[in-house]
Amino acid sequence: MRVPLSWLREYVDLPATETGRDVQAKLVSAGLEVETVEHLGADLKGPLVVGQVLTIEELEGFKKPIRFCTVDVGQANGTGEPQEIVCGARNFQVGDKVVVVLPGATLPGGFSISARKTYGKTSHGMICSGDELGMGDDGSHGIIVLPPETEVGKDAIELLELVDEVLDIAVTANRGDCLSIRGVAREAAIGYGLALRDPALLDVPGPNAFGYPVQVSDPLGCDRFTARTVTGLSPEARSPLWLQRRLQKVGMRPISLAVDVTNYVMMELGQPLHAYDRTLVRGTIGVRRAEEGEQIVTLDGVERKLHAEDLVITDERGPIGLAGVMGGANTEIADHAEGEGTTDVVIEAAHFDAVAIARTARRHKLSSEASRRFERGVDPQAAAAAAQRTVDLLVLLAGGTAEAGVTEVVAPSAPHTISVPADHPDKVAGVSYGRETVVRRLQEVGCDVYGQDELIVTVPSWRPDLQEINDLAEEVIRLEGYENLPSTLPRPPAGRGLTHRQRLHRRAGRALAGAGYVEAPNYPFVSEQVFDQLGLEADDPARRVVRLTNPLNDEEPALRTSLLPGLLGALRRNDGRGSHDLALFETGLVFQPRSEQRVAAVLPVDRRPTDAEIAELDAALPEQPRHVAVVLAGAREQAGWWGRGRPADWADAVEAGRLVAREAGAELVVRGGQYGPWHPGRCAEFVVVVDGAETVVGHAGELHPRVVKAFGLPARTSAMELDLDVLEAVGDDTPQAPAISTFPVATQDVALVVDKFVPHADVETALREGAGELLEGIRLFDVYENEEQLGDGKKSLAYALRFRAGDRTLTVDEASAARDAAVALAGERTGAVLRG
């Protein structure tokens, strides 16, 4: 809703020093979302005056029509002589009054005006269009032609109200009253503590038997219908400048006098209206539901097939309008023209059911200013006043005559009353307002309030959103100022804090962040085609997904079973934007459908659900284990004066898995594997022992080239994914103080020759077990391949073994014996032999 400050001041005596920014602050404090304050004409500088065209000379020999004009601008140019101006517009003629900008002026956008030679003539200024003055289109698509009675030489900046401030308010769905100048003025008056001059307080004649005949067949869809008739309108009458400018400022285009007046009153009072050409209406105006298959051509020229739930306005021929949305073309007001145009009109001001209008607008994909207001709630009591205001303006501006007949069809209804304890807002806000403040604030929004400790509140007709006691509490709180609410942190009950699961997840995240990974949370939605990109087998359990009934995106209708699609997408986006050295991680839930599908029970709201009811609800939900995953690409160690650097590879992904397992206190077995997106020869399988049986909890390594190509990833991208919940179940993360020995370490190096296909992890596991308790650490420090020295299909793995005892210094024999035992077991399990 666009609200010109000049229009707002008509109904509230705002201090003269108050700017649009000041009013914005007041309205924001009251809970209205004022998005911007537009300063119209901020960079406009005169002279900008009214001129009269004296002569027009058509210039020949140019690609487009050019006219050389002389214009009388009075004494505005300091000489009184006609102003010579070159202009390309064609919509004016000799004798017309136009807007002239003289040399030395500045137009919106910083466009300075000076005398300049063009098309062989010197142009001393410009004849202006609405767009050039920042007014918007007035429908003429050309020069502004002013009414004949406009005084020559008059300041056009003041005449056209070019300098103003316009507040742009994002009105929420519950505040339909603020889709009008009247509603915003009420909020401003409350904010400043000033009186409101309500434009709806008019003397309205009562209904009588002489009004235009109206029959409402659906009182639930239309509980109020007011009809007034004005005759004898001047066909040549045009909307005055002040009315056109106000419509332009609120974002509407002037069309014709009758239509402009109904739009003006709608913006002023918030009551949508419609004007029918009386000569085109046949018989009684009716309101009913459409018959299935009926058709109507709306004012936008579209033929629409009606639905049985659509509310329509009819005459004896059938539908002549979509109620509350748009009128029909068969009763359209004719535009003014020479000797033609509508002279007699029937004014409709009605109140329609909000749900019915909303459904009709969406069904026909036809949102209008009227439907926006009816959807959000219109004041039913304002219909008669809006009709009267429209009649008064048509009589004033078009010389019409208001017929004495007044039609008003009203369905019986009672005002909405709410009983609320006087201290209820205090309890909601945690602030002691007191009864007097509560009563005063409710009365300011228009409520009638009676009672002492228990207040009886009658809600005003323009606030249909006030339905129950908490709505009234919110009114008090917002008017007293949300910024005045105390900021207090809730006190958690003693003995509570993070769960063991939460602590593990945080530790895992901190450990990965400390290792150089950046957390990249992603949406949990995926397309089922992503599993083809990952190279999963057709019977892979990861392909069984939970599908959403109402997905946000039709291309991603399922919940993820792996964290990799989201992380790989994040890596691709960042790589495409110039960040090539990437290490990303995410911890999050994945979703696995249960074998038995259940329908979730509806839990009660009047009491706490029982443990059995909660368990039944949980059983209907999919399994939601928490995973951790990383992806790497580019350099893992940067090059510099310290060295050549190192690219990220499969070993970094494996180490990330080990890092997470250490945080969980779980013993992780790493061995060669083969699964889905990973390269068969560069994939590690993570295994833990659960209840005596080995369980695969994840994989790590370099991604398959086909996967890299399918996702558009950098070459040699690596990844890791682990099931955190299984690690938590088998791990013991109780902090263990390190045992520090004061005795020296004994180091033994061994080089073992094995077949190329034997994984290093298998050799290391055998060495570790064979060395026994004296082994403190083991490190692979060299891998060597040479067919001439080692033989075909062989490789050499060199390990540094560290031995230490906690109670003595080891002898050479003890260290050698432990080493020999380790080598022997490695040879037994993997076929390893000592090199050399």
Side-chain angles (χ1 to χ4, degrees):
M1 176 68 190
R2 291 171 56 85
V3 180
L5 192 59
S6 58
W7 198 350
L8 194 65
R9 290 181 182 275
E10 280 200 8
Y11 309 125
V12 184
D13 290 325
L14 298 174
T17 57
E18 290 295 283
T19 66
R21 293 290 184 190
D22 299 326
V23 177
Q24 177 190 31
K26 286 286 186 182
L27 295 178
V28 169
S29 177
L32 295 185
E33 185 179 348
V34 184
E35 293 186 327
T36 59
V37 178
E38 183 180 353
H39 297 268
L40 301 182
D43 51 357
L44 177 64
K45 186 180 74 171
L48 187 72
V49 299
V50 176
Q52 184 172 20
V53 180
L54 301 178
T55 65
I56 298 177
E57 177 188 350
E58 301 288 345
L59 301 182
E60 304 293 340
F62 300 102
K63 292 182 179 180
K64 62 180 181 178
I66 298 296
R67 310 168 99 185
F68 181 65
C69 311
T70 60
V71 184
D72 178 13
V73 294
Q75 298 299 317
N77 57 5
T79 64
E81 296 295 324
Q83 200 79 3
E84 296 180 339
I85 299 175
V86 175
C87 183
R90 314 290 297 175
N91 68 312
F92 65 96
Q93 57 190 357
V94 172
D96 281 347
K97 303 288 180 67
V98 294
V99 178
V100 179
V101 57
L102 301 178
T106 303
L107 293 182
F111 182 56
S112 298
I113 302 300
S114 60
R116 64 188 183 95
K117 190 169 184 179
T118 179
Y119 297 103
K121 302 285 186 178
T122 300
S123 182
H124 299 273
M126 284 175 54
I127 301 175
C128 298
S129 68
D131 286 337
E132 290 165 338
L133 298 179
M135 297 169 55
D137 180 25
D138 62 356
S140 66
H141 304 289
I143 293 303
I144 301 172
V145 179
L146 300 172
E149 63 273 14
T150 310
E151 178 185 350
V152 172
K154 184 177 179 63
D155 183 1
I157 296 178
E158 179 182 350
L159 175 69
L160 299 176
E161 301 179 14
L162 296 178
V163 178
D164 202 349
E165 293 180 275
V166 179
L167 285 70
D168 194 350
I169 304 175
V171 179
T172 55
N174 66 319
R175 291 303 304 272
D177 60 305
C178 288
L179 285 173
S180 65
I181 304 296
R182 178 196 185 199
V184 177
R186 181 178 289 106
E187 293 295 321
I190 295 173
Y192 281 95
L194 300 172
L196 170 69
R197 289 189 292 275
D198 191 343
L201 294 180
L202 301 175
D203 291 331
V204 179
N208 53 53
F210 309 106
Y212 198 93
V214 173
Q215 180 178 359
V216 177
S217 303
D218 189 345
L220 294 179
C222 176
D223 57 11
R224 184 178 294 266
F225 194 105
T226 300
R228 300 289 298 276
T229 305
V230 181
T231 59
L233 300 179
S234 171
E236 294 85 9
R238 297 178 55 187
S239 301
L241 287 175
W242 64 267
L243 192 149
Q244 293 186 44
R245 287 296 295 134
R246 286 194 169 177
L247 290 178
Q248 288 173 333
K249 289 177 184 179
V250 298
M252 304 189 78
R253 183 172 66 86
I255 299 174
S256 64
L257 178 60
V259 175
D260 291 349
V261 167
T262 58
N263 287 336
Y264 177 85
V265 175
M266 175 179 67
M267 303 308 295
E268 181 182 56
L269 301 182
Q271 168 66 54
L273 302 109
H274 190 71
Y276 301 92
D277 188 327
R278 183 176 179 179
T279 62
L280 300 178
V281 179
R282 300 287 183 263
T284 300
I285 292 178
V287 184
R288 61 170 171 81
R289 300 286 175 170
E291 296 177 4
E292 191 69 40
E294 277 188 307
Q295 294 184 341
I296 182 175
V297 178
T298 47
L299 289 175
D300 57 359
V302 177
E303 183 175 347
R304 303 181 186 276
K305 187 175 181 180
L306 301 179
H307 188 275
E309 292 184 4
D310 291 335
L311 200 62
V312 292
I313 310 298
T314 65
D315 64 6
E316 64 184 21
R317 297 167 297 178
I320 60 174
L322 272 176
V325 180
M326 185 174 286
N330 55 355
T331 56
E332 181 179 6
I333 296 291
D335 199 354
H336 61 268
E338 189 69 29
E340 299 179 2
T342 298
T343 58
D344 300 341
V345 297
V346 177
I347 305 299
E348 166 209 309
H351 184 260
F352 301 110
D353 176 61
V355 174
I357 301 305
R359 288 177 176 172
T360 295
R362 283 156 180 74
R363 189 179 296 117
H364 294 281
K365 298 180 180 179
L366 185 62
S367 179
S368 64
E369 292 289 343
S371 68
R372 286 182 63 223
R373 284 160 176 79
F374 279 122
E375 289 174 18
R376 289 160 174 79
V378 169
D379 180 5
Q381 302 294 333
Q388 182 64 44
R389 176 74 164 139
T390 304
V391 169
D392 292 343
L393 287 173
L394 288 176
V395 170
L396 175 67
L397 302 177
T401 301
E403 289 194 353
V406 177
T407 302
E408 192 163 349
V409 180
V410 181
S413 62
H416 182 48
T417 300
I418 304 172
S419 178
V420 54
D423 61 350
H424 182 68
D426 301 9
K427 294 178 179 178
V428 173
V431 176
S432 179
Y433 293 123
R435 179 188 177 279
E436 290 185 3
T437 299
V438 171
V439 171
R440 174 171 58 85
R441 288 303 191 183
L442 293 178
Q443 288 175 338
E444 285 177 344
V445 299
C447 296
D448 290 330
V449 186
Y450 303 95
Q452 292 299 318
D453 295 337
E454 190 74 18
L455 302 179
I456 306 301
V457 181
T458 301
V459 174
S461 58
W462 56 83
R463 291 299 302 274
D465 58 306
L466 302 182
Q467 293 293 323
E468 46 108 12
I469 61 174
N470 287 323
D471 296 329
L472 301 179
E474 182 182 2
E475 290 300 295
V476 175
I477 295 168
R478 75 175 182 88
L479 294 178
E480 283 295 305
Y482 292 120
E483 68 277 9
N484 295 324
L485 293 176
S487 298
T488 56
L489 292 174
R491 294 182 178 180
R496 295 194 179 185
L498 297 177
T499 64
H500 182 268
R501 187 180 192 226
Q502 290 170 327
R503 289 196 298 271
L504 171 59
H505 298 159
R506 293 194 180 190
R507 285 202 314 275
R510 283 195 295 266
L512 289 171
Y517 292 85
V518 176
E519 187 170 15
N522 295 283
Y523 289 116
F525 312 117
V526 296
S527 67
E528 296 185 60
Q529 288 72 30
V530 77
F531 302 120
D532 296 328
Q533 295 176 293
L534 289 174
L536 300 185
E537 299 291 339
D539 58 349
D540 195 297
R543 285 183 175 270
R544 294 185 61 245
V545 295
V546 177
R547 291 179 178 82
L548 299 169
T549 302
N550 187 23
L552 296 178
N553 183 352
D554 290 338
E555 295 182 359
E556 296 180 334
L559 292 173
R560 65 189 179 192
T561 57
S562 168
L563 300 182
L564 289 183
L567 275 178
L568 294 178
L571 186 141
R572 180 184 63 248
R573 286 191 298 273
N574 284 276
D575 180 72
R577 294 170 183 173
S579 298
H580 304 302
D581 303 325
L582 296 162
L584 309 178
F585 85 93
E586 179 180 7
T587 60
L589 300 179
V590 298
F591 305 86
Q592 301 166 352
R594 297 180 187 269
S595 56
E596 179 186 355
Q597 298 293 327
R598 300 184 184 181
V599 177
V602 178
L603 298 182
V605 296
D606 58 342
R607 59 175 174 80
R608 183 190 183 280
T610 65
D611 293 342
E613 289 172 331
I614 296 176
E616 183 181 357
L617 177 64
D618 289 340
L621 298 176
E623 296 283 355
Q624 301 177 53
R626 186 175 290 269
H627 283 199
V628 58
V630 305
V631 293
L632 305 99
R636 186 64 175 141
E637 296 176 2
Q638 295 291 335
W641 59 265
W642 53 84
R644 298 176 57 184
R646 180 178 66 83
D649 61 15
W650 61 269
D652 295 300
V654 173
E655 181 56 31
R658 287 195 173 109
L659 178 63
V660 173
R662 285 195 294 270
E663 290 297 325
E667 184 176 347
L668 193 66
V669 177
V670 181
R671 63 192 184 196
Q674 183 173 344
Y675 177 68
W678 282 278
H679 193 295
R682 297 167 188 165
C683 174
E685 183 177 78
F686 295 139
V687 177
V688 296
V689 177
V690 180
D691 297 330
E694 289 188 345
T695 300
V696 177
V697 293
H699 295 83
E702 184 179 314
L703 295 179
H704 197 288
R706 286 196 298 267
V707 175
V708 169
K709 182 179 180 180
F711 280 91
L713 305 173
R716 311 303 288 267
T717 298
S718 299
M720 179 277 295
E721 184 166 12
L722 265 173
D723 189 327
L724 259 182
D725 285 354
V726 176
L727 289 182
E728 178 191 9
V730 302
D732 180 8
D733 58 357
T734 304
Q736 300 290 334
I740 301 175
S741 175
T742 59
F743 296 95
V745 66
T747 303
Q748 297 275 353
D749 293 346
V750 295
L752 303 177
V753 178
V754 296
D755 292 331
K756 281 187 178 181
F757 64 82
V758 175
H760 141 69
D762 292 350
V763 178
E764 180 181 317
T765 300
L767 289 173
R768 192 180 297 276
E769 292 182 15
E773 296 181 354
L774 293 180
L775 182 67
E776 182 182 74
I778 182 171
R779 179 174 63 88
L780 175 69
F781 66 85
D782 183 54
V783 178
Y784 176 70
E785 296 181 9
N786 188 310
E787 291 185 1
E788 294 182 2
Q789 297 184 16
L790 303 177
D792 187 22
K794 300 291 184 179
K795 64 182 177 182
S796 172
L797 304 176
Y799 294 90
L801 307 179
R802 291 169 56 90
F803 299 99
R804 193 190 322 246
D807 57 350
R808 67 189 186 280
T809 299
L810 292 178
T811 65
V812 174
D813 293 339
E814 287 178 310
S816 298
R819 181 202 63 186
D820 294 341
V823 172
L825 187 58
E828 179 184 337
R829 289 188 178 179
T830 66
V833 296
L834 278 173
R835 180 181 170 191

